[in-house]
Amino acid sequence: MNKTIFALAAAALLAGCSLAPTYERPASPVAAAWPQGEAYKPVQTAADAKPASEIAWRDFIGDQQLRDVVELALKNNRDLRVSALNIEKARAQYGIDRAAQLPKVNAQVGQSAARAPGGDISRQYSGGLALPAYELDLFGKLRNMSDAGLQAYLGTEQAQRAQRLSLVAEVASTWLGLAADKERLRLAQDTLKSQQITFELSKRRFAAGATSGLDMYEAQTSVEAARNDMALYTAQVAAGENALALLVGTQVPASLLPQALPSAVSTLAELPEGVPSTVLLQRPDVLEAEHALKAANANIGVARAAFFPSITLTGSAGSASGALGDLFKAGSGAWTFLPQLTLPLFDAGANSARLDIAKADNGIAVARYEKAIQSAFREVADALAQRGTLDERVASQAALAEAASRSHRIHEARYQKGAESYLNALVSQRALYAAQQGLISVRLAKATNQVTLYKALGGWA
C-alpha cells in the first residue's frame, strides 16, 4: 500500500497530474443491436431519417394544439423550475470549488490594545494586504474537488434535459389520453341516443301487446349501461383536464384542449429503428449517470491526496505603528510569512476509510450507470415490440368494428320489423360498442407509442 502511495506521489510531482484514476467509460452492458423476433417487425423509414436524439420535440410533434400545450408546460411547470434552480445551485458550487484553487487576498486594517500592570495602555495599529491560508495543490486535491463539482454541475444540466423530455412525453400522453376519453364520452352519448330510440319503440310495442316485457327490459339495460358510461367518461374527462393543468402548471385554454385523437402525433413518418444501441449513451439520464461516475472518479483523487503532505501559505504585508497617524509613514513597513507543512502520521485509519468510501462510491456509480443503460435498452425494446404489432392491431380492430356495425344494423332492422326478438339486437349492439371502444384504445396506444419511443431513444427537449 505504502509503495503504491509513494509511487503515485512521485508521478504527481514529476508529471503535474492528479491522483485520480484515469477515467475509462465502462463497457456497455447491453447488446449492440435491438432484439429480433416476431414482435419486432421492420418499419419502413426514410433513408435520411435522423436519430431521435437529433430531433427537437417541436419538429417531432405535428399537432399544433399539442405543441402549444407543451410550450405552456415548459414555461410553467413547477418541477422544471426546481430543476433549473438546481442547475444554478450546482453552477455556484462549482464556482466555489474552482475558486479554492486560487489564493485569496484581503485588505485589512486593525488595532490591538494592551494594559500593563502599571496602568499604561499600549496600542498597535496595522494595515495592509493579507494572504489567508492558501494550500498548494501539489497532489491535485483541489483540482479534483473542482472536477467533481464540474461533473455535478454537468449532471444537473442533463437531469434537467431528462426532466424536460419526460415532461414533453407526459404532457403529450396525458393530452392524448384526454382526447381518447372525449371520444369514448361521445361514443357513450351516441349509443345512449340510439338505445333510447329503441327503448321507446319497445315500450310502445309492449303497451300495444305486440311483444313481451322482456324486450323492453333488455332495451332498458342498454340505455342504463350507456348512461353509466356517460357518467364514467364525464368524470374521466374532468380528471384528464385536471391532470393536464397540473403538468402544464396553469389552466389550459379551452382552444388547446383536444376534441378527438389526431390522425398522427408526429410529423415524421416513423422514427428510425436501424440505429445501434450505442445511441442510448446520449440519453440524458445515461449522461447524467456518467457525470456522476466521473465525479466519483475525481473524489478518489481527493481521498488519495489526503495521504500526502500539504503545504499552506499564510502571510501579510503592510504598515504597523504605535500611533494611528504614523501608520503609513516611512519606516512603518511590516510583513509576515508563515509557510506550514502538514504531514499526516496517525489518524486511526480515517484517511484509509475515506479512500475506501470513495472507491465504494465509484463502484456504486458504475453500477448505476450500467443500470441506466440496461433500463434504457428495455424501454426501447418494449416500445419497438409495441410498434411492431400496433399496425396489425389497429387494422384488425377496425375490421372488427366494421363487422360488428354491419351485424348490428341487420339485427336492429330485423327487430324493428318484428322478425326477431330484441335479444339478438342487444348482443350485437354490445359487441359493436365494445369493438368501437377497443378501436379508440388501440388508436391511443399507437399514438402514445410514438411518444414513448421518442422519449426512450433520447429525443431532444
Side-chain angles (χ1 to χ4, degrees), residues 141-383:
K141 173 186 173 183
L142 300 179
R143 192 186 326 153
N144 282 312
M145 289 177 63
S146 176
D147 286 345
L150 173 61
Q151 295 304 325
Y153 162 59
L154 295 175
T156 57
E157 284 193 324
Q158 293 300 328
Q160 189 197 39
R161 184 185 153 208
Q163 192 167 22
R164 283 173 62 89
L165 180 57
S166 294
L167 179 62
V168 169
E170 194 170 357
V171 168
S173 297
T174 303
W175 189 89
L176 291 168
L178 176 59
D181 282 337
K182 287 194 172 182
E183 286 198 10
R184 293 184 180 110
L185 177 58
R186 276 196 300 274
L187 177 60
Q189 291 171 335
D190 293 342
T191 301
L192 176 60
K193 290 178 182 177
S194 66
Q195 292 308 299
Q196 283 178 328
I197 294 173
T198 303
F199 180 47
E200 292 299 325
L201 174 61
S202 63
K203 284 200 298 184
R204 289 195 298 270
R205 287 184 175 180
F206 173 70
T211 62
S212 66
L214 181 60
D215 284 355
M216 181 181 66
Y217 295 127
E218 286 176 343
Q220 187 177 7
T221 62
S222 295
V223 170
E224 299 305 329
R227 286 179 57 193
N228 179 76
D229 282 355
M230 276 187 58
L232 172 65
Y233 293 125
T234 297
Q236 285 188 194
V237 166
E241 290 176 351
N242 293 337
L244 192 60
L246 177 62
L247 286 173
V248 172
T250 186
Q251 199 65 34
V252 180
S255 60
L256 298 183
L257 293 176
Q259 300 303 319
L261 279 169
S263 56
V265 177
S266 173
T267 54
L268 309 173
E270 283 290 351
L271 290 171
E273 66 168 8
V275 293
S277 66
T278 51
V279 71
L280 298 177
L281 299 182
Q282 299 305 313
R283 270 186 35 152
D285 56 336
V286 174
L287 288 173
E288 179 188 0
E290 186 173 15
H291 284 306
L293 175 55
K294 289 179 179 179
N297 192 73
N299 284 330
I300 292 179
V302 175
R304 283 176 173 173
F307 287 91
F308 304 108
S310 62
I311 298 177
T312 304
L313 305 180
T314 304
S316 65
S319 299
S321 173
L324 182 60
D326 298 332
L327 181 59
F328 295 105
K329 288 185 176 180
S332 63
W335 59 268
T336 61
F337 180 59
L338 301 172
Q340 183 177 6
L341 173 67
T342 303
L343 177 65
L345 296 178
F346 176 74
D347 63 359
N351 283 340
S352 294
R354 293 189 187 97
L355 180 57
D356 289 342
I357 291 173
K359 289 180 177 179
D361 285 341
N362 188 71
I364 292 170
V366 169
R368 287 177 174 168
Y369 174 70
E370 292 175 340
K371 180 62 181 295
I373 295 175
Q374 290 174 333
S375 298
F377 186 88
R378 183 197 168 177
E379 287 179 19
V380 175
D382 287 349

Side-chain angles (χ1 to χ4, degrees), residues 56-136:
W57 70 265
R58 292 175 183 84
D59 297 326
F60 171 73
I61 295 177
D63 188 277
Q64 187 59 49
Q65 280 183 305
L66 177 53
R67 194 181 295 153
D68 291 343
V69 172
V70 172
E71 289 276 11
L72 276 177
L74 292 175
K75 291 178 182 178
N76 296 288
N77 183 270
R78 300 310 191 267
D79 290 334
L80 211 57
R81 289 185 184 179
V82 172
S83 180
L85 292 173
N86 282 334
I87 289 180
E88 294 299 321
K89 180 180 176 181
R91 183 185 293 123
Q93 183 60 53
Y94 169 59
I96 293 172
D97 294 338
R98 186 173 176 82
Q101 299 181 71
L102 302 174
K104 300 175 180 62
V105 178
N106 297 331
Q108 61 181 29
V109 175
Q111 171 197 244
S112 63
R115 184 178 182 276
D120 294 334
I121 298 176
S122 62
R123 299 180 186 275
Q124 183 74 18
Y125 298 92
S126 63
L129 301 178
L131 175 71
Y134 170 62
E135 182 178 351
L136 296 179

Side-chain angles (χ1 to χ4, degrees), residues 396-410 428 431-432 435:
S396 62
Q397 191 67 38
L400 175 62
E402 177 62 24
S405 176
R406 292 179 180 179
S407 174
H408 175 62
R409 286 198 299 269
I410 292 172
S428 65
L432 171 61

Side-chain angles (χ1 to χ4, degrees), residues 3-20:
K3 291 182 179 180
T4 302
I5 293 296
F6 286 124
L8 289 169
L13 286 172
L14 293 175
C17 61
S18 73
L19 297 177

